[in-house]
Amino acid sequence: MFPLTEENKHVAQLLLSTGTCPRCIFRFCGVDFHAPYKRPYKELLNELQKFLETEKEELILDVPNPPPKKIRLQELEDGIDGIDNLSQNGEGRVSILEDGSIASKNSNLNVCNVCLGILQEFCEKEFIKKVCQKVEASGFEFTNLVFSVSFPPQLSVREHAAWLLVKQEMGKQNLSLGRNDIVQLKEAYKWITHPLFSEELGVPIDGKSLFEVSVIFAHPETVEDCHFLRAICPDCFKPAKNKQSVFTRMAVVKALNKIKEEDFRKQFPCPPNSPKAVCTVLEIECAHGAVFVAGRYNKYSRNLPQTPWIIDGERKLESSVEELISDHLLAVFKAESFNFSSSGREDVDVRTLGNGRPFAIELVNPHRVHFTSQEIKELQQKINNSSNKIQVRDLQLVTREAIGHMKEGEEEKTKSYSALIWTNKAIQKKDIEFLNDIKDLKIDQKTPLRVLHRRPLAVRTRIIHSMETRYVDEHHFHLYLKTQAGTYIKEFVHGDFGRTKPNIGSLMNMTADILELDVESVDVDWPPALDD
C-alpha cells in the first residue's frame, strides 16, 4: 500500500521536482512506519510517479528557475535504469578503494539534494554486503551488534532548507509542519538497513550490544554548506582539542536552532542545490566494549612492584604484578590494551599473603569475549605456572558495575599485617607486652615523605584496631596488626620523622624500624570465591 495521501501530493510534487528522493519525500510527509522505506528504490520511484500523474496543479515556487517537472522525472527514470543496467551486467554499485573507503560505481544516479544519496545507494544490499565483509574480516567474536552511523553535518543544513521550503508551501494551505514532524534521516536509514545487516550476519541488532559497527560518511562536494553559520552564530563553533573541525553535527544543529529563518534563506538556497556525487564512506569501524576480569593475587617476592616501576622514563625493575597477570589476559582476549585496578597496593618489598588482594582488569576492545568457566580456570593456571612470584585465585569475568564493590567502603575495611621490628635499645619480652592491650588507637599521619610526590599533603586519621607481639630477641620482635585500610604501616612503626603520631617508637620510647612487612589479609569480600 502506497503511504502517501491526497493531502501529501502537493508537497511530494514540490520535493520531487527540486531533486529530493522518494524516501526523503516520505520523511517530510511524516511517514513513520517502516515498510514503505524498505521497498526497492525503483519500485518507490515508479509508484511515486504514478501517484503524482494526477496532480494537475502548477507549482509556484519561490526559488529561481526550478528544474522542469518532466525533465526531472525523466532524469530520475534514466538514473534508475542506469542502476538496473549495472546490476544486470553484474557490476556492483559500490566498491572498496585501496584506502579502504567505499565509493560508488554508478554515476547515473540523480543524487538526492537532502540526504546526498544516503537513502539511495547506501540502503542497497550490495553496500550492506561490503560492510558485512569488513565486519567478518575484523576478527571480532559477537552474538549481536549495535549499528551506528555518522552523517556529515551539512545534511542538517540541507534538511533545514528543505523543511523551510515545505513549511512555506504548506502554510499557503493553512497547514503546519514542525521540525519534529519530519522522520529523522538516521531513523529511516536504520529501518531499512537493520534487517539487512541482521540477515547478512545472522545475528540480531541489539541496542545494548557491546559490539558496535559504525559507518562514517562524508561528502566533500558540499563541505562548505555549513560555513555561513559560523559567521552568524560564532559562539556555536568553538575549537576543541579532540575535534578536527569546528563544524560538528551538534554545533551545526545548535546554530540552526538559533538562526532566524530570514537570515538562513539569505545565506542558503531553499530548496538546496542537487549535488553531482553521492556520499563517500570514510571509515567502517568495528569495536567491542570493554570486558572485565577480576580475581585475587598473592605476591611472594620482595622485589616486585604492583605496577611498572618507571622513573624519568627508565624502568627500575623488569616486571610487575600487573604485567605478570595482564600479559596473559591480553593475549587470550586479543585486546588492544588494559587498565589495572586493585583494592589498595603494597610496596615493592612487601609480600601479600593469605587470600590475596582483590584486583580487576579492564580489557579494552577485546576480539575474543566468550569463555567457559573451564577455559578461565586454565587461564588462571597458565598465569600461576608462568611465575613463582605471584599466584592468582578466583579468576572470573565480572561486570563493570561489579567492580564498584571492590572500591566500596575501602577506607572502612580492615587489613591485617605482620611485621618484623628492630629496636635500637635492648628489649625484653615484658617491654612489648603492653602493645597487646592497646585497642582502636587513633593515629594522625601526615602524608609520608616517600609518597609525597604522588599524594597531596594532608593529615589523615587512621585507626589501629589491635596489635599482637611475639618476642624474637633483644632487638627484634614480630608485630601483628589489624588496621583501618589506608594506614601507612611502615610510618606507624618508625614515625617518619614525627609525621605519624603516635608511633611504635614513641610508644616504646626508643627508635624502632621495620625490617620486613607482609599483608596477611585484605578484608574485602570480593570477587566471590570460586570452588577449586
Side-chain angles (χ1 to χ4, degrees):
M1 181 178 174
F2 195 67
L4 300 185
T5 62
E6 285 296 317
E7 68 177 20
N8 298 134
K9 271 191 172 182
H10 190 67
V11 168
Q13 181 71 71
L14 169 64
L15 289 172
L16 186 64
S17 67
T18 57
T20 307
C21 73
R23 290 183 176 118
C24 279
I25 290 172
F26 289 172
R27 295 195 302 116
F28 279 86
C29 289
V31 177
D32 60 357
F33 48 102
H34 303 191
Y37 293 90
K38 297 178 182 178
R39 297 179 62 187
Y41 191 87
K42 185 177 180 181
E43 280 185 24
L44 290 179
L45 186 61
N46 286 340
E47 287 205 25
L48 183 60
Q49 289 171 349
K50 288 177 185 176
F51 174 72
L52 294 175
E53 278 175 3
T54 57
E55 176 70 24
K56 301 299 182 185
E57 289 183 75
E58 288 293 327
L59 291 176
I60 303 172
L61 302 177
D62 295 331
V63 294
N65 302 319
K69 177 169 63 175
K70 288 184 179 178
I71 293 176
R72 170 58 63 187
L73 291 175
Q74 186 60 47
E75 285 177 350
L76 283 168
E77 274 188 326
D78 292 344
I80 291 299
D81 289 340
I83 293 176
D84 218 29
N85 291 336
L86 278 176
S87 297
Q88 288 170 4
N89 293 335
E91 294 182 46
R93 274 172 267 186
V94 291
S95 61
I96 298 181
L97 304 178
E98 287 184 10
D99 63 359
S101 64
I102 292 181
S104 170
K105 286 185 177 180
N106 175 26
S107 59
N108 295 325
L109 180 73
N110 284 272
V111 183
C112 176
N113 64 340
V114 178
C115 72
L116 303 176
I118 295 292
L119 293 182
Q120 294 172 297
E121 291 208 2
F122 297 103
C123 298
E124 300 296 318
K125 283 189 176 181
E126 289 90 339
F127 174 69
I128 303 302
K129 284 182 179 179
K130 295 290 185 184
V131 175
C132 291
Q133 286 170 8
K134 283 211 160 190
V135 173
E136 289 169 340
S138 68
F140 282 95
E141 192 175 65
F142 58 95
T143 55
N144 52 29
L145 65 94
V146 59
F147 177 64
S148 66
V149 286
S150 174
F151 295 143
Q154 57 264 38
L155 283 177
S156 297
V157 177
R158 290 177 160 264
E159 188 154 292
H160 192 81
W163 169 62
L164 291 180
L165 174 72
V166 174
K167 190 173 79 158
Q168 177 178 299
E169 290 301 313
M170 289 181 68
K172 295 175 183 178
Q173 304 171 57
N174 295 318
L175 298 172
S176 63
L177 179 71
R179 286 172 69 170
N180 292 335
D181 296 329
I182 304 167
V183 173
Q184 294 293 309
L185 173 60
K186 193 168 285 189
E187 282 300 300
Y189 186 73
K190 289 183 178 181
W191 290 346
I192 304 164
T193 58
H194 274 189
L196 297 176
F197 275 112
S198 187
E199 180 184 357
E200 188 68 28
L201 292 171
V203 299
I205 304 290
D206 181 356
K208 295 182 179 179
S209 174
L210 290 176
F211 180 61
E212 180 178 14
V213 177
S214 58
V215 179
I216 302 169
F217 291 96
H219 196 261
E221 181 188 341
T222 60
V223 74
E224 293 183 2
D225 281 1
C226 307
H227 291 189
F228 74 95
L229 290 170
R230 191 176 189 181
I232 299 172
C233 306
D235 57 320
C236 295
F237 300 95
K238 295 177 180 176
K241 289 181 180 179
N242 59 338
K243 301 290 183 183
Q244 291 183 340
S245 170
V246 295
F247 296 104
T248 62
R249 191 187 69 83
M250 293 297 290
V252 168
V253 169
K254 187 177 178 182
L256 291 173
N257 286 333
K258 293 181 70 173
I259 192 171
K260 294 178 181 177
E261 288 187 18
E262 56 267 28
D263 291 337
F264 184 92
R265 287 177 179 276
K266 289 175 185 175
Q267 299 289 335
F268 197 83
C270 299
N273 298 325
S274 294
K276 295 177 182 177
V278 297
C279 284
T280 59
V281 176
L282 278 186
E283 202 166 356
I284 298 171
E285 295 180 337
C286 298
H288 200 290
V291 297
F292 298 84
V293 177
R296 300 178 82 100
Y297 73 80
N298 292 107
K299 179 166 86 79
Y300 301 119
S301 170
R302 296 197 187 277
N303 196 35
L304 183 70
Q306 187 192 67
T307 55
W309 193 5
I310 299 171
I311 300 175
D312 296 330
E314 182 181 347
R315 180 182 276 270
K316 296 300 182 182
L317 291 170
E318 66 178 18
S319 191
S320 64
V321 173
E322 174 187 291
E323 291 164 297
L324 290 173
I325 299 172
S326 63
D327 284 353
H328 294 279
L329 298 183
L330 278 175
V332 172
F333 282 79
K334 299 179 182 177
E336 287 182 2
S337 58
F338 71 93
N339 295 303
F340 180 92
S341 58
S342 63
S343 181
R345 60 188 296 137
E346 67 284 311
D347 290 339
V348 61
D349 58 347
V350 175
R351 299 185 303 177
T352 298
L353 309 176
N355 284 334
R357 185 186 297 279
F359 72 91
I361 294 180
E362 176 187 16
L363 294 157
V364 179
N365 204 25
H367 284 59
R368 188 184 171 197
V369 293
H370 299 123
F371 294 87
T372 64
S373 57
Q374 182 59 36
E375 286 173 324
I376 295 295
K377 280 184 179 180
E378 290 170 1
L379 175 56
Q380 175 176 297
Q381 194 59 46
K382 188 176 181 181
I383 294 170
N384 291 341
N385 290 340
S386 66
S387 174
N388 60 4
K389 295 182 176 182
I390 66 160
Q391 289 280 288
V392 170
R393 69 179 68 204
D394 300 330
L395 197 68
Q396 57 196 278
L397 287 162
V398 297
T399 64
R400 181 187 294 272
E401 293 72 27
I403 290 180
H405 297 310
M406 183 175 73
K407 297 293 185 182
E408 271 176 12
E410 197 173 75
E411 299 254 320
E412 283 69 48
K413 298 291 184 181
T414 59
K415 295 184 180 180
S416 299
Y417 301 87
S418 62
L420 178 60
I421 312 297
W422 168 86
T423 60
N424 69 324
K425 296 179 182 177
I427 56 170
Q428 299 298 318
K429 188 176 181 181
K430 59 185 171 85
D431 296 325
I432 59 174
E433 287 178 342
F434 77 98
L435 295 173
N436 300 337
D437 299 325
I438 297 177
K439 306 296 180 188
D440 295 329
L441 174 69
K442 283 189 178 181
I443 63 172
D444 290 325
Q445 293 197 302
K446 189 179 287 187
T447 305
L449 293 171
R450 64 188 173 91
V451 300
L452 203 50
H453 65 284
R454 57 183 172 86
R455 286 285 179 89
L457 179 62
V459 176
R460 300 171 180 85
T461 300
R462 294 290 183 263
I463 298 174
I464 309 297
H465 293 294
S466 63
M467 290 183 279
E468 186 179 335
T469 59
R470 183 164 63 83
Y471 183 76
V472 176
D473 59 35
E474 288 187 338
H475 290 281
H476 301 89
F477 69 96
H478 283 290
L479 179 65
Y480 302 91
L481 308 100
K482 189 170 188 177
T483 75
Q484 180 183 350
T487 304
Y488 292 103
I489 304 301
K490 291 178 178 177
E491 282 69 24
F492 171 61
V493 173
H494 59 61
D496 197 24
F497 302 100
R499 297 169 72 86
T500 291
K501 298 177 181 178
N503 54 72
I504 292 295
S506 66
L507 291 171
M508 296 182 66
N509 198 26
M510 62 182 69
T511 299
D513 206 350
I514 191 165
L515 301 182
E516 290 181 352
L517 179 63
D518 292 327
V519 180
E520 296 290 346
S521 74
V522 179
D523 301 327
V524 176
D525 189 19
W526 188 89
L530 301 178
D531 296 330
D532 292 335

